[in-house]
Amino acid sequence: VNIDLDTDNELQCSDTSFVLDVTVADSILLSTLQFSVNWDSSVLEFCRVVPSGNPNPMDDADYSGIVDDSTLIKKGQIGYLFSDFQNARKFDQDELLFSIEFKILDNSASTTISCGDDPNAPEASREGELVDFNCMELTLNFDEDNEPPMVQFCPQDITAFADDNCMATVNYPTPLFMDNCDGMDLTGTLTSGFSSGSSFNQGTTVIRYEYEDNADNGPAVCSFTVTVLDTIPPEVSCMDATIYLD
């Protein structure tokens, strides 16, 4: 018996989830069928088992279904078990056994889904005799991200007026960036100037924010100026003086 693990193996970096289909590749009579699906839990998070939508021809079987163990699922393991020792059951070619919906936790590298040994060792039989079991592992390749981030919002140049200490406290809106993979409303890193709410000296200060995406594309740059003007006129301070002549 050949078990296929199928999905779109060219996932986009912006994808957040996908569905894995587990099917029987060939038409075959079986009395028992058991195997496990294993994945890297640091890359993929189990969401749920998706019903096949097909009528279940195994309702009269001794046992059929998913070995649902939350502890094993957290480790990246789930088992399938079918057994009917009274009557061998015909599995149709390309029959969908079940599907698993996964959430993508890390799309920075490829990952592999396979038929492992835990919790159920791969095995199939017909009327007491073992049947060869095969399951090709599936490698998921996320498309490489070569697209640089962009500036979503950058403040305009700002003019403020100095106080008696020739300084001004300036508040400005947060620059925002966007990226095809990282998403929207991303905050960058201040690389020049002062943060919002700081005291600025008289004159012009260049504020520069940068953002690099998780694939090291960029940086996208937001740059604007804060100019502090001195509008307070000078004051004359005079003192009376008394002069004594010889």
Side-chain angles (χ1 to χ4, degrees):
V1 58
N2 294 297
I3 301 298
D4 282 347
L5 308 175
D6 298 319
T7 191
D8 180 3
N9 66 347
E10 291 296 334
L11 297 173
Q12 303 296 315
C13 64
S14 56
D15 290 340
T16 58
S17 65
F18 71 96
V19 174
L20 174 77
D21 292 331
V22 183
T23 62
V24 178
D26 33 26
S27 178
I28 190 170
L29 286 170
L30 293 176
S31 300
T32 64
L33 174 63
Q34 68 174 40
F35 60 92
S36 301
V37 177
N38 297 166
W39 62 91
D40 186 344
S41 59
S42 68
V43 178
L44 303 176
E45 178 182 326
F46 173 87
C47 295
R48 63 190 178 104
V49 173
V50 182
S52 65
N54 298 324
N56 186 0
M58 297 183 283
D59 288 340
D60 296 328
D62 296 333
Y63 182 83
S64 174
I66 297 295
V67 180
D68 189 358
D69 187 319
S70 59
T71 301
L72 291 174
I73 286 176
K74 289 180 180 179
K75 294 169 57 178
Q77 302 167 342
I78 195 170
Y80 173 83
L81 175 61
F82 161 76
S83 62
D84 190 346
F85 296 99
Q86 301 300 319
N87 300 292
R89 187 259 183 185
K90 181 183 178 183
F91 289 82
D92 294 328
Q93 183 177 2
D94 297 326
E95 180 176 328
L96 178 65
L97 297 178
F98 60 96
S99 301
I100 305 175
E101 182 180 353
F102 287 104
K103 177 182 178 181
I104 301 171
L105 302 178
D106 181 6
N107 58 13
S108 62
S110 62
T111 190
T112 299
I113 302 176
S114 62
C115 293
D117 295 328
D118 196 3
N120 292 337
E123 185 177 289
S125 69
R126 179 174 56 245
E127 297 178 350
E129 295 186 3
L130 291 178
V131 175
D132 288 341
F133 181 96
N134 297 289
C135 178
M136 295 292 292
E137 68 178 24
L138 174 68
T139 299
L140 301 176
N141 297 307
F142 299 97
D143 280 354
E144 184 177 359
D145 178 18
N146 294 313
E147 187 173 335
M150 300 175 63
V151 176
Q152 179 179 334
F153 167 76
C154 190
Q156 298 292 319
D157 292 342
I158 298 171
T159 299
F161 300 100
D163 56 19
D164 292 340
N165 297 315
C166 296
M167 303 185 72
T169 299
V170 177
N171 294 287
Y172 56 80
T174 302
L176 297 175
F177 300 86
M178 56 186 179
D179 183 70
N180 63 314
C181 292
D182 297 352
M184 304 284 289
D185 299 329
L186 306 167
T187 56
T189 300
L190 178 65
T191 60
S192 178
F194 304 104
S195 60
S196 178
S198 298
S199 294
F200 287 75
N201 293 319
Q202 178 183 334
T204 298
T205 302
V206 176
I207 308 297
R208 180 184 174 98
Y209 280 81
E210 298 181 359
Y211 181 84
E212 285 189 359
D213 66 17
N214 289 328
D216 296 328
N217 296 313
V221 176
C222 165
S223 179
F224 59 98
T225 61
V226 173
T227 301
V228 177
L229 300 178
D230 178 12
T231 60
I232 300 176
E235 295 181 359
V236 177
S237 179
C238 297
M239 296 181 61
D240 295 336
T242 301
I243 301 174
Y244 296 94
L245 302 175
D246 293 339

